[in-house]
């Protein structure tokens, strides 16, 4: 599965190019609008072409992401999917209760994270060692909050609550809580207390 | 004139509060309340900015989150609502060429927005009540974390601001439809139909078109006001719900918090709250752009009929996009995520894009234009939304939301760029344009300060959004604290840009005070000497 870091890199490049282009356009407009120009104003053809462009962008953005970001289909159809592994986590009183000190996950498996809250709304996010985010979801009390994911590279990840749950919530971090191991991976051999159970 | 004399009497002593009509005073009162609240927001914003660079020892974590709770609410209800209500209570009568329905009710709106803001701000400041503006259930009723009394006053403050807003809604619709004393009977139904867009829809299906009875900016104001009304009702309803839990707790009764379904509540609350961000703000802003463009150029609006239709589409769209706030809620039905969260939300790119194009095309048709302050700030406002709307469309995607939700990306390139660059610069454009009319020709104190205000605000706003966004893309969450300096470089750069915003505001504030003089500003709050319902004095 494509790593979320790659998706973010793509987004960064696309948005940066757009920002530079639109700033240049508005600067050019600001300069030209103060100069003498041909009378007659803007032709409606330009307007309709612009509208068409917006429609194409609006429609194609989600089609492109649906077809290129692998977790979208996985997520939308997770109700009918059969996970290889389920990891159940409970949250209460601003603390994560994990099934083990370090959860070990093999590469290439469909892992379902099922997180429940006994009191407040929290968040559940997985973060790389360089603090970048792998994924997150909301953890709403009284509901099943589950997320299906597939890891394709070895690594050690931290868990962090991604939703505000009161002033104590910012401390809801469990460093190095998840380890992904791949047969040919470069991560350290598992030092786990428990392997995620199918 | 010496600096001190100008400070007291205003530039060339040109501003004479005694010459103001009650309507001019009303509008200027709103502006003063709005600017004072904005000052509070900037100061709070800067406190948070510094705390995010490195935790300030004198600020406790509870205080930090109490500030974060008050900051956007003071910004939206205290500052933006005040300026918008003041401007529209003046512009609707101005454009409809008839007096405001009730100046007294207008003054009540101003007072309730001011007192309400002071109440919830004070309650948050004293009690550190900090559920943040999203009020996710059951956090606002979690009395193990928050003070019960503090919370009660906080919610009462919000309710007061909402009652003030409802007074505004009534005043706007009454002004559009009523018959002033001595006038021929006004066609109230037809006026309302034109304002709400029903005439436009009818015209679409019939050969003989009915004439539009209200000007386009009034139609925009009316449609945005519909969202304002719904939003106030939802926030008031939520406030009552929370108050029920609070009063019960005060009486020693512990209501079961789980009786409220947290996800259903979240849907209800975001439906209402989103009417601000994706409803009234976008509609009001588009209407203001159109008005500013026609006033600056003196020309007819480009593609006026399409603009009218787009405003109606925007209104309907604003009722159906709330699910883009719940794309990371796994209990939310997938169909709602895709249809409401992604597809309908994408319409906002189209409607806001149209407003952008129509405004630019109208300006273009009047070349060459002088680069006045209203034009500069208008272009800044257009750029702000051109940057912030696509940023929002990107996060309103099932795939990207998984890695963007609740990161600094959301509050940086989307929220703050939309609010500070898009909305605030549009409001500044209106203030610079209307100032001479509202003050009977007061002279702007300094062009240098106004130019500095523009550049510092533009660069500060875009820069702060950009650095927050970069941190967000590196995984930095919003609404949290990092104590090990994980994102320090981005936060230092964001704080420098925040400082530019602060300096920009100080320059603007000084310029306005020196323009009107301290005596002039105080004079705005004394009762009007001129007795008239007219907007402007006869000789002006
Ligand atoms: C002018 C200078 C401003 C500065 C320096 C500033 C700074 C900040 C900071 C540091 C945060 C916290 C971000 C986080 O870590 O989650 C924040 C949040 C926020 N601000 Fe501002 N801000 C400013 C103006 C405004 C204005 C004018 C508004 C609205 C009218 C606004 C609306 C918000 C909102 C909605 C949030 C999110 C709060 C939450 O997550 O609950 N800000 N601001």
């Amino acid at each position: 599965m494509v790593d979320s870091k790659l998706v973010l890199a793509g987004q960064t490049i696309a948005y940066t190019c757009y920002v530079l282009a639109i700033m240049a356009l508005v600067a050019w407009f600001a300069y030209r609008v103060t100069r003498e120009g041909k009378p007659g104003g803007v032709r409606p053809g330009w307007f309709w072409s612009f509208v068409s462009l917006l429609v194409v962008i609006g429609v194609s953005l989600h089609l492109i992401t649906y077809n290129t970001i692998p977790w979208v289909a996985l997520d939308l159809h997770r109700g009918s999917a059969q996970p290889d592994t389920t990891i159940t986590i409970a949250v209460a009183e601003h603390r994560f209760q994990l099934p083990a000190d370090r959860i070990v996950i093999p590469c290439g498996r469909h892992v379902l994270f099922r997180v429940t809250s006994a009191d407040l709304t929290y968040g559940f996010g997985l973060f790389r060692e360089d603090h970048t985010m792998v994924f997150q979801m909301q953890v709403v009390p009284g509901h099943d909050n589950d997320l299906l994911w597939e890891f394709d590279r070895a690594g050690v990840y931290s868990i962090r609550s991604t939703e505000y749950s009161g002033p104590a919530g910012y401390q809801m971090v469990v460093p190095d809580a998840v380890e992904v191991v791949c047969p040919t991976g470069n991560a350290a051999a598992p030092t786990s207390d428990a392997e995620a159970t199918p | 004139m010496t600096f001190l004399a100008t400070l007291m009497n205003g530039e060339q002593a040109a501003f004479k509060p005694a010459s103001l009509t009650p309507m001019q005073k009303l509008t200027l009162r709103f502006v003063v309340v709005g600017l004072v609240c904005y000052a509070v927001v900037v100061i709070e914003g800067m406190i948070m900015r510094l705390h995010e660079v490195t935790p300030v020892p004198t600020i406790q974590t509870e205080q930090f989150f109490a500030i974060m709770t008050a900051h956007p609410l003071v910004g939206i209800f205290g500052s933006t609502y005040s300026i918008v209500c003041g401007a529209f209570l003046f512009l609707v009568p101005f454009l409809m060429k008839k007096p405001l329905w009730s100046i007294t009710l207008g003054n009540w709106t101003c007072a309730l927005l001011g007192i309400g803001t002071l109440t919830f701000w004070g309650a948050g400041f004293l009690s550190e009540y900090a559920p943040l503006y999203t009020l996710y259930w059951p956090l606002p009723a979690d009395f193990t974390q928050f003070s019960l009394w503090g919370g009660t006053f906080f919610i009462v403050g919000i309710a007061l601001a909402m009652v003030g807003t409802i007074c505004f809604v009534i005043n706007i619709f009454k002004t559009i439809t009523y018959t002033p004393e001595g006038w021929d009977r006004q066609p109230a139904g037809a006026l309302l139909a034109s304002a709400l867009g029903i005439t436009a829809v009818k015209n679409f299906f019939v050969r003989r078109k009915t004439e539009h009875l209200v000007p386009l900016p009034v139609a925009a104001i009316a449609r945005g006001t519909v969202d304002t009304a719904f939003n106030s009702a939802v926030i008031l309803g939520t406030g009552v719900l929370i108050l029920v839990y609070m009063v019960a707790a005060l009486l020693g009764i512990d209501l079961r918090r789980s009786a409220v379904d947290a996800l259903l509540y979240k849907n209800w609350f975001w439906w209402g709250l989103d009417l601000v961000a994706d409803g009234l703000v976008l509609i009001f802003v588009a209407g203001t752009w159109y008005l500013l463009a026609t006033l600056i150029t003196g020309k007819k609006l480009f593609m006026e009929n399409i603009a009218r239709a787009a405003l109606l589409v925007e209104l309907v769209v604003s009722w159906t996009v709330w699910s883009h706030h719940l794309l990371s809620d796994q209990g939310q039905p997938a169909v709602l995520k895709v249809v409401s969260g992604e597809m309908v939300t994408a319409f906002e790119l189209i409607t806001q894009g149209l407003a952008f194009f129509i405004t630019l095309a109208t300006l273009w048709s009047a070349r060459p234009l002088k680069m006045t302050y209203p034009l500069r700030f208008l272009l800044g406002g257009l750029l702000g939304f051109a940057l912030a709307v696509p940023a929002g469309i990107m996060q309103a995607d099932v795939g990207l939301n998984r890695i963007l939700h609740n990161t600094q990306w959301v509050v940086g390139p989307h929220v703050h760029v939309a609010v500070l660059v898009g909305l605030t610069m549009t409001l500044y454009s209106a203030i610079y344009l209307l100032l001479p009319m509202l003050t009977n020709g007061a002279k702007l104190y300094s062009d240098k300060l106004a130019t500095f205000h523009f550049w510092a605000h533009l660069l500060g706003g875009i820069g702060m959004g950009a650095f927050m966004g970069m941190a967000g893309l590196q995984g930095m969450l919003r609404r949290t604290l990092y104590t090990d300096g994980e994102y320090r470089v981005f936060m230092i750069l964001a704080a420098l840009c925040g400082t530019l915003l602060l300096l920009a505001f100080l320059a603007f504030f000084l310029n306005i005070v020196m323009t009107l003089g301290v005596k002039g500003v105080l004079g705005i709050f004394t009762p009007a000497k001129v007795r008239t319902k007219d907007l402007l004095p006869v000789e002006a």
Side-chain angles (χ1 to χ4, degrees):
Chain A
M1 188 157 108
V2 174
D3 193 43
S4 52
K5 219 172 184 175
L6 191 69
V7 175
L8 277 179
Q11 177 192 340
T12 309
I13 294 169
Y15 188 69
T16 307
C17 292
Y18 168 75
V19 165
L20 296 177
I22 195 76
M23 290 206 301
L25 177 81
V26 174
W28 172 84
F29 182 92
Y31 172 73
R32 288 300 305 272
V33 83
T34 58
R35 312 271 129 182
E36 202 78 50
K38 275 191 254 149
V42 177
R43 266 184 271 127
W46 280 103
F47 175 75
W48 293 114
S49 312
F50 181 70
V51 176
S52 316
L53 179 72
L54 290 179
V55 173
V56 170
I57 295 173
V59 172
S60 59
L61 172 74
H62 302 307
L63 287 178
I64 292 173
T65 56
Y66 184 86
N67 287 299
T68 53
I69 301 181
W71 62 81
V72 182
L74 206 61
D75 190 24
L76 290 176
H77 308 300
R78 71 185 185 288
S80 52
Q82 197 57 48
D84 300 314
T85 306
T86 298
I87 296 166
T88 305
I89 296 171
V91 199
E93 295 177 351
H94 296 104
R95 283 156 86 122
F96 288 105
Q97 289 150 22
L98 304 178
D101 286 348
R102 186 178 276 196
I103 301 163
V104 179
I105 298 170
C107 266
R109 297 245 201 115
H110 281 166
V111 186
L112 187 77
F113 292 90
R114 173 168 290 154
V115 191
T116 52
S117 160
D119 43 27
L120 301 163
T121 297
Y122 299 98
F124 174 79
L126 217 60
F127 291 81
R128 299 182 186 86
E129 281 171 298
D130 63 1
H131 311 296
T132 55
M133 187 197 284
V134 181
F135 64 73
Q136 59 70 45
M137 69 169 156
Q138 293 275 293
V139 179
V140 182
H143 286 266
D144 266 347
N145 310 282
D146 55 350
L147 184 75
L148 198 55
W149 203 260
E150 185 191 322
F151 294 88
D152 74 338
R153 65 198 60 199
V156 178
Y157 303 97
S158 302
I159 290 174
R160 194 182 259 277
S161 171
T162 53
E163 184 54 86
Y164 175 77
S165 53
Y170 81 96
Q171 288 164 324
M172 292 179 67
V173 187
V174 189
D176 306 338
V178 174
E179 179 170 0
V180 175
V181 284
C182 304
T184 54
N186 51 8
T191 51
S192 66
D193 301 322
E195 180 165 334
T197 42
Chain B
M1 241 167 136
T2 62
F3 180 84
L4 213 62
T6 311
L7 179 68
M8 292 316 290
N9 303 312
E11 176 69 5
Q12 297 172 29
F15 177 56
K16 307 230 166 6
S19 71
L20 297 177
T21 63
M23 274 305 298
Q24 286 174 311
K25 285 211 169 194
L26 171 68
T27 312
L28 289 170
R29 279 173 199 158
F30 273 109
V31 175
V32 173
V33 171
L35 291 181
V36 170
C37 287
Y38 185 81
V40 174
V41 177
V42 180
I43 294 167
E44 287 178 337
M46 278 314 290
I47 294 175
M48 289 191 289
R49 281 265 72 95
L50 297 177
H51 203 70
E52 290 189 4
V53 172
T54 185
V56 182
T58 46
I59 296 176
Q60 305 303 311
T61 306
E62 289 77 10
Q63 279 170 326
F64 173 73
F65 286 111
I67 293 174
M68 198 184 281
T69 302
H71 164 82
L73 294 171
V74 177
I76 294 163
F77 298 133
S79 175
T80 309
Y81 267 40
S82 289
I83 296 177
V84 165
C85 288
F88 291 167
L89 287 177
F90 185 83
L91 286 171
V92 169
F94 177 75
L95 295 163
M96 298 287 295
K97 300 186 176 57
K98 71 203 260 202
L100 184 72
W101 180 64
S102 168
I103 297 180
T104 312
L105 198 62
N107 276 310
W108 270 108
T109 299
C110 185
L112 285 166
L113 282 176
I115 296 168
T117 304
L118 195 66
T119 310
F120 69 71
W121 181 85
F125 182 76
L126 294 176
S127 74
E128 293 163 4
Y129 183 67
L132 296 190
Y133 76 101
T134 40
L135 298 174
Y136 287 150
W137 194 259
L139 195 57
D142 183 0
F143 309 122
T144 57
Q145 294 196 71
F146 304 124
S147 146
L148 194 48
W149 279 107
T152 307
F153 276 101
F154 188 92
I155 298 293
V156 167
I158 300 276
L160 287 177
M162 289 303 96
V163 173
T165 310
I166 289 171
C167 294
F168 162 79
V169 172
I170 295 170
N171 223 348
I172 288 291
F173 281 112
K174 275 291 198 181
T175 304
I176 293 172
T177 53
Y178 88 119
T179 303
E181 233 179 80
W183 284 39
D184 288 343
R185 183 143 195 83
Q186 298 288 294
L191 282 163
L192 193 65
S194 168
L196 294 180
I198 300 165
T199 315
V201 174
K202 265 201 205 142
N203 276 349
F204 194 75
F205 296 103
V206 295
R207 202 150 331 126
R208 271 194 53 197
K209 312 280 179 215
T210 313
E211 192 199 338
H212 290 294
L213 293 183
V214 305
L216 177 61
V218 174
I221 294 170
R223 290 169 209 180
T225 305
V226 173
D227 274 354
T228 313
F230 285 145
N231 167 262
S232 309
V234 169
I235 296 188
L236 263 182
T238 310
V240 170
L241 173 77
I242 298 170
L243 272 180
V244 167
Y245 277 76
M246 287 172 167
V247 172
L250 284 171
L251 297 174
I253 306 165
D254 187 11
L255 295 181
R256 270 184 14 146
R257 291 186 320 208
S258 56
V260 175
D261 183 285
L263 187 59
L264 195 63
Y265 168 97
K266 206 171 179 182
N267 272 278
W268 144 268
F269 194 59
W270 266 124
W271 184 82
L273 205 61
D274 209 33
L275 296 175
V276 178
D278 294 80
L280 63 101
V281 166
L282 297 187
I283 300 172
F284 282 160
V285 162
T288 310
W289 286 349
Y290 298 153
L291 179 67
L292 290 169
T294 48
L295 289 178
I296 288 171
T297 59
K299 298 241 174 194
K300 209 172 154 303
L301 194 74
F302 177 77
M303 292 272 181
E304 183 170 336
N305 282 337
I306 301 285
R308 238 176 231 275
L311 286 171
L312 188 61
V313 174
E314 184 64 65
L315 178 63
V316 178
V317 163
S318 73
W319 300 334
T320 40
V321 292
W322 82 99
S323 256
H324 63 230
H325 293 281
L326 289 105
L327 294 177
S328 289
D329 285 81
Q330 299 302 83
Q332 185 74 350
V335 62
L336 277 180
K337 287 188 181 181
V338 173
V339 176
S340 153
E342 284 190 332
M343 279 151 54
V344 188
T345 302
F347 265 92
E348 288 187 353
L349 185 70
I350 299 167
T351 50
Q352 209 59 13
L354 290 187
F356 179 81
F357 193 100
I358 289 170
T359 310
L360 288 184
T362 307
L363 295 172
W364 192 254
S365 66
R367 273 181 309 158
L369 288 172
K370 198 165 168 282
M371 191 48 78
T372 55
Y373 297 121
L375 178 57
R376 263 182 209 207
F377 277 94
L378 173 59
L379 291 176
L382 286 158
L383 176 62
F385 277 99
L387 293 170
V389 172
I393 297 292
M394 285 165 96
Q395 75 212 17
D397 176 86
V398 174
L400 293 174
N401 193 269
R402 185 64 63 218
I403 41 180
L404 292 177
H405 184 76
N406 266 359
T407 63
Q408 293 277 332
W409 170 274
V410 178
V411 272
H414 181 53
V415 173
H416 280 92
V417 173
V419 167
L420 288 169
V421 186
L423 176 64
T424 307
M425 291 193 95
T426 302
L427 293 178
Y428 280 137
S429 170
I431 291 176
Y432 278 106
L433 189 78
L434 295 179
L435 196 70
M437 193 200 292
L438 288 173
T439 57
N440 299 329
K443 302 264 171 305
L444 193 66
Y445 169 67
S446 160
D447 282 318
K448 281 202 182 103
L449 282 177
T451 306
F452 176 78
H453 174 216
F454 172 79
W455 284 110
H457 190 92
L458 182 73
L459 297 177
I462 295 180
M464 187 171 97
F467 293 121
M468 288 169 88
M470 289 175 203
L473 294 172
Q474 299 296 314
M476 182 177 178
L477 296 173
R478 73 195 276 212
R479 325 178 125 182
T480 191
L481 272 174
Y482 291 88
T483 46
D484 293 331
E486 291 93 327
Y487 298 97
R488 187 157 291 148
V489 174
F490 292 122
M491 289 302 101
I492 290 174
L493 293 169
L496 288 175
C497 294
T499 310
L500 267 184
L501 284 165
L502 176 67
L503 292 176
F505 178 71
L506 290 178
F508 173 72
F509 196 75
L510 179 67
N511 214 4
I512 292 293
V513 172
M514 295 299 279
T515 299
L516 304 181
V518 173
K519 283 188 196 156
V521 175
L522 295 176
I524 291 171
F525 289 90
T526 57
K529 298 228 165 66
V530 187
R531 297 241 160 264
T532 173
K533 282 197 99 181
D534 290 347
L535 295 181
L536 304 173
V538 183
E539 67 273 20

